[in-house]
Amino acid sequence: MAKRQKPKSKITTASRRRVSTPRARMTAKPADTLDLARCEQFLMHEARLLDEAKFDDWLALFTDDAWYWVPSEPEQDNPHDTVSLMYDDRRLLETRIRRLASPRMYSQEPRSRCSRIVTNVTLEDVEGRSATVRSKFLMIEYRREQQRLFAGTAWHRLVQVDGAIRIAWKRVDLINCDAPMDGLTLPF
């Protein structure tokens, strides 16, 4: 009886490839977890929308009952005791964005070009599906051959809404908030 030979198997490049789970699936966390990496990524996204003057998209990041505050005094503890540089509820934010979109906004003729740097992001308080996030920022505004620098600390209260991160409130503490300033039209 003749020996039966085993068929030679062809080893293809496809069979040599390692099968791996996509990285996102391996490191996925529950959608309602607000960790430092997700919050930092969100703040970078917000800064990019503002730099690119996508103000409607920026406004969409806010909850319906959100507020935005830029105090006029260092250590100011609420917006009702004194005048603020900006203090907008959701309705006033919508008005501000409509004005920025208008071709008749002469304080933005020509339009400012901006660049924002966000750094030193920390989680200050995490409660379930929400977190208070503190960051440092630098904003450079260039318009009419003049450059202005703004720097300070930004505080965000971020919340999860239907799996997406939204801003419940934002406070911007400028380091020179009590200095004389030309008109502020752009959000920080």
Side-chain angles (χ1 to χ4, degrees):
M1 213 184 206
K3 264 187 165 179
R4 191 172 156 189
Q5 291 184 338
K6 289 185 182 177
K8 290 185 180 176
S9 63
K10 283 188 174 178
I11 298 176
T12 63
T13 55
S15 63
R16 286 190 214 161
R17 286 190 210 139
R18 258 185 38 206
V19 177
S20 64
T21 308
R23 186 177 199 96
R25 216 180 310 154
M26 288 182 353
T27 59
K29 295 186 179 186
D32 58 349
T33 301
L34 285 175
D35 61 4
L36 182 60
R38 285 188 73 207
C39 292
E40 188 172 29
Q41 195 68 30
F42 180 83
L43 296 183
M44 301 299 169
H45 174 68
E46 179 197 17
R48 184 174 185 167
L49 290 176
L50 289 169
D51 284 348
E52 294 174 358
K54 294 180 178 176
F55 298 117
D56 287 324
D57 293 341
W58 176 73
L59 181 63
L61 298 178
F62 287 82
T63 61
D64 292 337
D65 58 346
W67 52 266
Y68 176 82
W69 180 32
V70 184
S72 63
E73 297 177 356
E75 309 295 323
Q76 187 175 338
D77 63 355
N78 75 65
H80 306 292
D81 290 343
T82 188
V83 173
S84 297
L85 296 173
M86 292 180 190
Y87 180 59
D88 297 346
D89 61 8
R90 175 60 191 238
R91 236 173 111 195
L92 284 172
L93 272 175
E94 290 169 2
T95 302
R96 183 177 299 279
I97 298 312
R98 274 197 313 273
R99 286 183 55 229
L100 283 169
S102 170
R104 287 185 253 171
M105 186 174 189
Y106 299 112
S107 61
Q108 276 295 293
E109 190 55 44
R111 298 282 174 175
S112 294
R113 292 182 299 201
C114 295
S115 181
R116 291 165 179 80
I117 298 170
V118 178
T119 188
N120 297 355
V121 178
T122 57
L123 292 178
E124 298 295 312
D125 176 35
V126 179
E127 295 174 14
R129 306 178 108 207
S130 61
T132 301
V133 182
R134 180 179 192 257
S135 62
K136 295 294 186 175
F137 75 94
L138 174 66
M139 178 180 132
I140 302 162
E141 178 186 21
Y142 179 78
R143 187 172 159 269
R144 291 192 177 160
E145 299 180 13
Q146 292 188 346
Q147 186 167 286
R148 297 196 299 176
L149 299 175
F150 299 96
T153 303
W155 298 85
H156 289 75
R157 183 65 177 179
L158 302 180
V159 296
Q160 288 273 116
V161 179
D162 298 327
I165 300 175
R166 296 288 175 250
I167 302 169
W169 55 259
K170 180 177 180 180
R171 175 183 171 146
V172 177
D173 292 323
L174 295 173
I175 59 172
N176 63 337
C177 63
D178 52 350
M181 291 189 207
D182 282 344
L184 299 175
T185 57
L186 297 176
F188 299 100

